[in-house]
Amino acid sequence: MILNHDSLALIWFALLGVLLIGYTILDGFDLGVGILHPIARSDEERRIMMNAIGPLWDGNEVWLVTFGGALFAAFPVAYATVFSAFYMPFMLLLTALIFRAVSLEFRSKVRSRIWRGLWDRGFFASSLLVAFLFGLVGGHTMLGLPVNQDLSVHMTAPDFIRPYPIAVGLLTVFLFAMHGAIFLFLKTEGDLQRRIERWVWRTFGVFLVAYILLTMYTLVEVPHVTRNFREHGWLWVVPLLNVLAIANIPRAMYLRRPFYAFVSSGATIAALAFLFAAAIYPHLVPGTIDPAWSVSIYNARSSETTLRIMLLIAIIGIPCVLTYTVLVYWIFRGKVRLDEHSY
Amino acid sequence: MDVETLSRLQFAGTVMFHYLFPPLTIGLGLIMVILEGLWLRTGDVSWKHAARFWTGIFALNFALGVATGIVMEFEFGTNWAAYSRFVGDVFGSALASEGIFAFFLESGFLAVLVFGWDRVGPRLHFLSSVLVFLGSCFSAVWIVVANSWQQTPAGYRIVETEVNGRTALRAEITDFWAMVFNPSSVDRLTHTLIGALILGAFFVSSVSAYYLLRRRHELFARRCMTIAVIVASIFSVLALVSGHDQARQVARTQPAKLAAFEGHFQTGPGDLYLFGWPDEKEERVRWGIAIPRMLSFLVHDDFSTPITGLDAFPPEDRPRVWIPFQAYHLMVAVGMALIAISLTSLVMLRGGRLFRCRPLLMLHVVTVLAVFAANHSGWVAAETGRQPWLVYPSEQGGVMMPGLRTSDGLSESVRAEQVLASIIMFGVVYALLFALWVFVLNSKIQHGPDERASRASPQRGFLQAAASIGSERHDLLETPTDGTR
């Protein structure tokens, strides 16, 4: 394949998609664990839930950091537009991410009911808020933003409160909660696991209803999302696989193969992230004032030299990253055991 | 206040808070590696206890470093959109490299380091601490490279790009390695890493000295103190050497910055101020004590060679002087004091006199605060001294490349009240975080390395504020799993 500027931009769009999928699958389950945190009944159960993600959440968040860095490097114009447009949501998001890290880190350091209760609530609320805000930002991006000719976007607080992005935010919360529930099912035993299993079914039910409703809502409210599907028929494979993956979650749970259920919910997240990318391509931020002012992979990209260098960096880096990730998940496989190093 | 001032305040505040943690993790990382290496070599389990203790402290700082670091990455885009478009091609690739090469390495193996004591063998565990330490150094490499490129840009060109029919300038990489090894990156990286290693050493010596003064965990404290003093001695001397090289490099590449550091208003032979009060209106330094012409000697090995003063630059290209001057002098003064403290301690290690010398131990307890101040003021000097530029103008292959002024780097869409609201929000959150950090750090220090030793000693507050909470807190503060062993 000839690596010209256009194909490099396309490759980087795809690589950003990979980073986004990696982030949403991995941080998705630990955010989901946070959203489900209130179902734990005793201090030990809460600690089991937190320690299920203890060694993993930090590495999962690095996917977000790297996604941000890669967007900055490959499509600086899009990075500038998106981050300045979503000023207040992102500031809230940062606060929530800080609270989440701190809740995990500090909760079990002090043996006081009030202290722990406070951080338990903080962990739940911040996980919920992070998941919701990601969905909200995603929903707004699918609708498009009022991009001005100078690439800036002026949005005030009321502009962010619109039904469609809120619906996407809620779907993200349900999706991550389900994903987290399946993950917890894998990591727990006994009574807690039985309760979590009920939550797998509940969150699956809620997610399924929300998924169907949002799909219909999207086709009505944001019809331009199917534009690429009309041009590239093969894309229909993805929603088809998505439906199969969703259907496989109850099947695998029923057949007592929770790992396949987890893989399926991961595949569902990957498919939804893919559909998001396919809906906006070749834009990174569709413009609503004048579609010609949209931020696309062509007007937002870095120079050809930089994209080429970055590709080389990615080719060297990604195998290393995958190695560490697999190694760490392998070392911490199996049920949660609380020991003296746990949170 | 306008958006520019507020955005600068926001960035300065959040980055300074963030910078409490990364140098501490780099510095503690080295100590951890040394201790664990000694455990592997000698098989003496008390080295392992020591390594474990510092790993716990390391992990706390690491988590806060990550949480506050994501803020920085977002702020480039949220508040400095025009800047992001200008530098993204260059700066973004360094930032992305940091993610790929450093953060994944650190966070992956940190999990093994902190949670893996009983899950992996000693060798893999040692390897993990080496990799975490290396990862934290790599992250310093990439971020300092990115910052240095803005101070002394190289390996790039400025091109005019057209988006939506409007043209804008931006920097594009022409030579990746020239960009990475720009004129200041090696000097600045060396100095930054040395500063971090000194901080780690003095942090360890502070806690160890505290234990020695209280006669608790004495074996642990002696051993850690010895290692810390050796590390501190080596690197505080090296800091002087690298600082000297760096000052000469600044004189070559950013003369306006050096002039601001030294309050050198008129071009001519330069005096070296020990302290003073620069008056920008009068263009002179008040109440200062200076060694005449010493600056010329330090920079040019000659007492009479003129040093470029601020008068060589048009007023709109001059940095403000007061903050860089004071920050720079604070850093240098602390640096000199650290050499004295660490070398005296090194001499007194012989025969263990240091461990009985209460005044020096007390000095060690508080010195770590000065080291934090030196690390911070060094960066304050570097970042205020490069104003009014975000990216310096430079000459590349005979062609002048325009720079980017701080005032031209802002986001078009962000309003002052939004920035103010975010500053208030970060202010509240960070104040809370800081209090918690001190509280938990103190509880870990009070708890000590090996809980089976010196149970009998009374628990007293490491910091007065914490001490007032009361002694029964000892039971509250133990990590809940203590009983399970």
Side-chain angles (χ1 to χ4, degrees):
Chain A
M1 189 171 73
I2 308 148
L3 284 184
N4 59 29
H5 206 173
D6 286 352
S7 60
L8 280 164
L10 182 60
I11 290 172
W12 269 102
F13 184 76
L15 281 176
L16 280 173
V18 170
L19 285 170
L20 183 68
I21 289 172
Y23 173 69
T24 45
I25 290 179
L26 294 176
D27 216 28
F29 75 73
D30 68 53
L31 288 168
V33 169
I35 294 167
L36 292 173
H37 193 62
I39 70 173
R41 284 183 186 156
S42 64
D43 186 58
E44 197 195 342
E45 287 185 358
R46 291 190 191 97
R47 288 189 58 215
I48 287 173
M49 289 179 75
M50 283 188 155
N51 282 290
I53 59 169
L56 309 174
W57 70 270
D58 199 29
N60 295 345
E61 223 167 274
V62 172
W63 287 80
L64 174 66
V65 176
T66 307
F67 176 83
L71 183 66
F72 195 177
F75 302 106
V77 173
Y79 170 82
T81 299
V82 172
F83 279 60
S84 59
F86 292 113
Y87 193 84
M88 285 328 272
F90 277 181
M91 290 297 153
L92 268 179
L93 179 74
L94 290 171
T95 317
L97 285 173
I98 292 173
F99 261 99
R100 215 173 100 80
V102 170
S103 308
L104 280 160
E105 195 60 40
F106 285 168
R107 179 196 179 273
S108 298
K109 296 283 193 288
V110 176
R111 216 180 242 179
S112 140
R113 184 170 292 187
I114 300 168
W115 170 277
R116 291 188 171 185
L118 204 67
W119 292 121
D120 284 329
R121 288 188 192 96
F123 180 51
F124 162 71
S126 55
S127 303
L128 187 75
L129 190 61
V130 170
F132 177 75
L133 286 172
F134 276 125
L136 185 86
V137 167
H140 273 292
T141 310
M142 283 183 56
L143 283 180
L145 300 180
V147 182
N148 294 308
Q149 196 182 3
D150 67 353
L151 299 165
S152 67
V153 175
H154 296 266
M155 284 170 87
T156 52
D159 299 329
F160 292 112
I161 305 165
R162 291 173 62 183
Y164 182 75
I166 290 176
V168 179
L170 291 175
L171 182 80
T172 313
V173 170
F174 302 145
L175 174 64
F176 286 175
M178 173 186 77
H179 193 47
I182 301 170
F183 175 77
L184 279 174
F185 183 85
L186 288 168
K187 301 295 278 186
T188 53
E189 298 164 293
D191 179 50
L192 179 61
Q193 194 190 32
R194 275 190 290 282
R195 259 184 297 132
I196 285 167
E197 188 179 4
R198 286 202 288 279
W199 278 94
V200 172
W201 289 104
R202 279 176 202 155
T203 49
F204 175 76
V206 174
F207 165 74
L208 188 65
V209 173
Y211 175 80
I212 294 167
L213 291 176
L214 190 74
T215 306
M216 295 192 291
Y217 190 8
T218 307
L219 293 174
V220 176
E221 177 81 12
V222 210
H224 67 250
V225 295
T226 52
R227 194 189 56 235
N228 286 314
F229 288 77
R230 283 194 290 278
E231 271 178 47
H232 306 282
W234 62 271
L235 283 173
W236 286 105
V237 174
V238 179
L240 191 69
L241 289 176
N242 190 2
V243 170
L244 287 179
I246 294 173
N248 196 43
I249 295 169
R251 178 178 165 273
M253 285 305 290
Y254 182 75
L255 293 176
R256 297 270 138 207
R257 294 159 95 182
F259 184 73
Y260 289 104
F262 185 67
V263 172
S264 301
S265 70
T268 304
I269 294 175
L272 287 171
F274 186 95
L275 291 176
F276 167 74
I280 59 171
Y281 177 83
H283 296 144
L284 291 157
V285 188
T288 52
I289 295 177
D290 181 346
W293 295 345
S294 299
V295 178
S296 75
I297 65 169
Y298 301 111
N299 65 14
R301 65 192 171 187
S302 284
S303 66
E304 193 176 333
T305 317
T306 298
L307 290 179
R308 205 183 291 276
I309 293 165
M310 292 288 303
L311 184 61
L312 197 63
I313 289 173
I315 290 169
I316 299 168
I318 288 174
C320 302
V321 170
L322 291 178
T323 314
Y324 316 145
T325 310
V326 169
L327 184 69
V328 170
Y329 277 77
W330 175 251
I331 289 173
F332 295 101
R333 70 192 179 278
K335 305 291 179 190
V336 180
R337 284 177 284 156
L338 294 179
D339 61 31
E340 56 182 309
H341 309 296
S342 304
Y343 280 132
Chain B
M1 274 190 279
D2 58 358
V3 179
E4 184 189 346
T5 315
L6 287 167
S7 290
R8 283 183 64 185
L9 276 177
Q10 182 207 47
F11 198 86
T14 47
V15 80
M16 282 172 78
F17 188 74
H18 171 62
Y19 204 64
L20 289 171
F21 311 109
L24 195 52
T25 49
I26 294 172
L28 286 177
L30 178 68
I31 305 282
M32 260 165 25
V33 168
I34 294 174
L35 290 169
E36 218 177 327
L38 285 166
W39 170 47
L40 271 190
R41 223 184 145 80
T42 61
D44 180 347
V45 78
S46 61
W47 290 118
K48 183 185 176 186
H49 290 308
R52 249 187 212 202
F53 174 73
W54 294 115
T55 307
I57 298 212
F58 178 95
L60 173 69
N61 289 309
F62 186 89
L64 289 173
V66 172
T68 54
I70 297 181
V71 176
M72 314 317 312
E73 191 196 32
F74 274 58
E75 277 175 358
F76 296 130
T78 53
N79 287 67
W80 303 94
Y83 155 83
S84 298
R85 287 193 290 270
F86 185 87
V87 300
D89 197 283
V90 182
F91 191 94
S93 44
L95 206 64
S97 303
E98 188 179 5
I100 289 181
F101 292 127
F103 292 152
F104 277 114
L105 187 68
E106 278 181 287
S107 62
F109 287 97
L110 182 77
V112 183
L113 191 64
V114 176
F115 299 96
W117 288 100
D118 304 328
R119 287 193 176 237
V120 298
R123 280 166 197 284
L124 182 54
H125 197 273
F126 176 65
L127 180 71
S128 304
S129 45
V130 173
L131 290 175
V132 169
F133 172 59
L134 280 180
S136 59
C137 294
F138 289 163
S139 83
V141 170
W142 288 106
I143 201 66
V144 174
V145 160
N147 183 285
S148 300
W149 176 83
Q150 299 181 143
Q151 312 250 2
T152 56
Y156 76 115
R157 61 180 175 183
I158 299 288
V159 294
E160 207 166 71
T161 56
E162 195 195 298
V163 181
N164 297 347
R166 292 160 66 111
T167 56
L169 296 180
R170 77 167 182 190
E172 291 185 354
I173 299 177
T174 52
D175 179 344
F176 182 73
W177 293 112
M179 183 275 279
V180 171
F181 292 102
N182 65 69
S184 68
S185 51
V186 175
D187 279 332
R188 301 176 83 241
L189 177 64
T190 316
H191 203 61
T192 304
L193 284 178
I194 288 174
L197 296 173
I198 296 175
L199 180 64
F202 274 101
F203 188 86
V204 170
S205 83
S206 168
V207 176
S208 307
Y210 170 73
Y211 287 151
L212 287 168
L213 286 167
R214 297 262 175 227
R215 303 198 187 290
R216 287 166 51 191
H217 316 295
E218 286 192 68
L219 175 70
F220 164 87
R222 280 163 187 254
R223 287 181 160 182
C224 289
M225 188 89 189
T226 307
I227 291 168
V229 165
I230 294 170
V231 172
S233 303
I234 295 170
F235 289 106
S236 50
V237 173
L238 286 178
L240 180 65
V241 178
S242 86
H244 176 64
D245 281 350
Q246 207 191 326
R248 289 170 78 122
Q249 176 268 119
V250 171
R252 274 196 313 279
T253 57
Q254 296 171 291
K257 189 176 179 178
L258 185 80
F261 284 173
E262 288 295 351
H264 190 61
F265 290 98
Q266 282 85 31
T267 303
D271 304 339
L272 187 74
Y273 280 95
L274 301 181
F275 56 84
W277 192 274
D279 183 330
E280 286 169 59
K281 278 208 186 83
E282 304 262 313
E283 301 210 337
R284 68 190 183 88
V285 179
R286 290 168 185 272
W287 308 302
I289 295 221
I291 309 172
R293 302 193 165 204
M294 192 61 187
L295 185 62
S296 290
F297 178 73
L298 286 176
V299 173
H300 297 292
D301 302 318
D302 176 74
F303 285 104
S304 54
T305 312
I307 301 274
T308 312
L310 286 169
D311 60 353
F313 302 92
E316 70 274 15
D317 289 354
R318 290 181 202 170
R320 301 289 298 274
V321 178
W322 197 87
I323 294 178
F325 180 94
Q326 302 298 2
Y328 181 74
H329 283 80
L330 176 64
M331 174 190 73
V332 174
V334 172
M336 295 300 169
L338 295 181
I339 295 176
I341 295 172
S342 55
L343 290 183
T344 312
S345 308
L346 187 68
V347 172
M348 290 185 57
L349 274 180
R350 270 183 75 109
R353 277 179 297 156
L354 172 63
F355 306 135
R356 295 185 295 274
C357 178
R358 296 186 71 86
L360 194 52
L361 289 178
M362 284 178 197
L363 187 62
H364 268 284
V365 172
V366 295
T367 301
V368 65
L369 299 176
V371 188
F372 271 116
N375 271 289
H376 275 85
S377 58
W379 273 106
V380 168
E383 294 302 290
T384 52
R386 58 119 158 219
Q387 300 297 332
W389 303 105
L390 273 177
V391 179
Y392 250 66
S394 77
E395 195 188 308
Q396 302 293 325
V399 185
M400 271 313 287
M401 300 284 171
L404 179 71
R405 285 176 190 275
T406 308
S407 52
D408 295 333
L410 293 160
S411 297
E412 298 82 356
S413 59
V414 174
R415 284 166 295 114
E417 60 267 27
Q418 286 180 314
V419 186
L420 187 63
S422 72
I423 291 179
I424 294 169
M425 190 178 74
F426 281 124
V428 172
V429 172
Y430 282 6
L432 179 74
L433 265 190
F434 184 75
L436 288 169
W437 178 60
V438 172
F439 176 70
V440 173
L441 207 55
N442 179 52
S443 76
K444 277 180 179 275
I445 291 165
Q446 294 303 335
H447 184 264
D450 180 9
E451 102 239 35
R452 280 166 300 189
S454 63
R455 265 270 178 204
S457 58
Q459 304 296 321
R460 297 221 184 100
F462 180 59
L463 294 165
Q464 286 217 319
S468 64
I469 297 173
S471 58
E472 75 281 0
R473 222 192 52 227
H474 177 54
D475 289 315
L476 288 178
L477 290 180
E478 279 178 354
T479 45
T481 43
D482 289 335
T484 61
R485 189 149 25 159

